[in-house]
Amino acid sequence: MIKSQGKIKRTDEQWEADKALESELFLKGYSYRRIRDKINERYKEMGIDIQISYQSVYNDIQKCLSEWKREQFTNIDQYVTQEIQALDNVAREAWEEWERSKRPKCKTKYRFKTAVEVQKETTTGDPSFLNVILNVQQRKARLLGYDSPLVVSIVGDKEKEKPKYDLSSVPDDILEKMADALQEGGNND
């Protein structure tokens, strides 16, 4: 403990321990005030006469958030590179399977355990592989920032005064995420 202007201040070790507990509780959804109370309870149990303020907890967590952000910026290029490589592998396999699905299929008819007739059927290919390829391309475009910003227009209907939403430009996967988020939000009330 360090005394400064009549107040007891935390040592570096105490501050580091507080920061670890504060960040853990913050990630669990605790409010700053509840975190402050937990830290102060811990000090009381340890017999240490320190009272941490709400502002101290807030400042500590802001420092943690900026540290986390800095760490993520250094890792983001590596993450994007790994994701692009993984998506390229998925696309390559999907293209191979698409080509394989277009090959003619041979049907052999047997009579008394001997092949009698061989028929070749031509196929157009399995379109599900093309969907996989399209999804990979969309994901890569989002990762690399090639997609233009998503704009949702809200057009007011003056007769009924109910807004209409033009979602025609929103990809299906984004619409599904929006619907899920709205449903989850409705369950929390």
Side-chain angles (χ1 to χ4, degrees), residues 147-151:
D147 281 350
S148 59
L150 191 59
V151 177

Side-chain angles (χ1 to χ4, degrees), residues 96-178:
E96 288 171 5
E97 291 302 316
W98 163 250
E99 292 301 327
R100 194 171 298 133
S101 73
K102 293 190 311 182
R103 291 183 189 155
K105 309 265 187 285
C106 294
K107 283 190 173 181
T108 306
K109 291 185 179 180
Y110 291 93
R111 192 170 288 150
F112 305 112
K113 296 185 181 183
T114 31
V116 177
E117 188 179 329
V118 175
Q119 293 178 337
K120 284 193 174 185
E121 283 184 7
T122 57
T123 59
T124 57
D126 184 351
S128 67
F129 295 114
L130 295 177
N131 284 333
V132 170
I133 293 164
L134 180 61
N135 288 336
V136 165
Q137 290 171 340
Q138 289 172 342
R139 175 76 177 130
K140 281 176 65 174
R142 271 187 253 134
L143 269 173
L144 296 172
Y146 294 150
D147 281 350
S148 59
L150 191 59
V151 177
V152 177
S153 302
I154 301 175
V155 181
D157 184 354
K158 293 181 181 180
E159 295 173 338
K160 296 179 184 175
E161 294 191 24
K162 290 184 180 178
K164 291 184 178 179
Y165 303 99
D166 177 16
L167 302 174
S168 59
S169 65
V170 180
D172 289 341
D173 61 328
I174 301 281
L175 285 174
E176 289 172 9
K177 287 179 185 176
M178 288 170 58

Side-chain angles (χ1 to χ4, degrees), residues 64-91:
C64 287
L65 290 171
S66 66
E67 287 173 11
W68 295 340
K69 195 179 286 188
R70 260 194 316 277
E71 289 172 9
Q72 292 307 312
F73 280 130
T74 58
N75 295 333
I76 200 147
D77 286 338
Q78 181 182 359
Y79 169 77
V80 169
T81 302
Q82 288 173 336
E83 284 297 305
I84 295 297
Q85 185 60 48
L87 289 169
D88 286 343
N89 290 341
V90 170

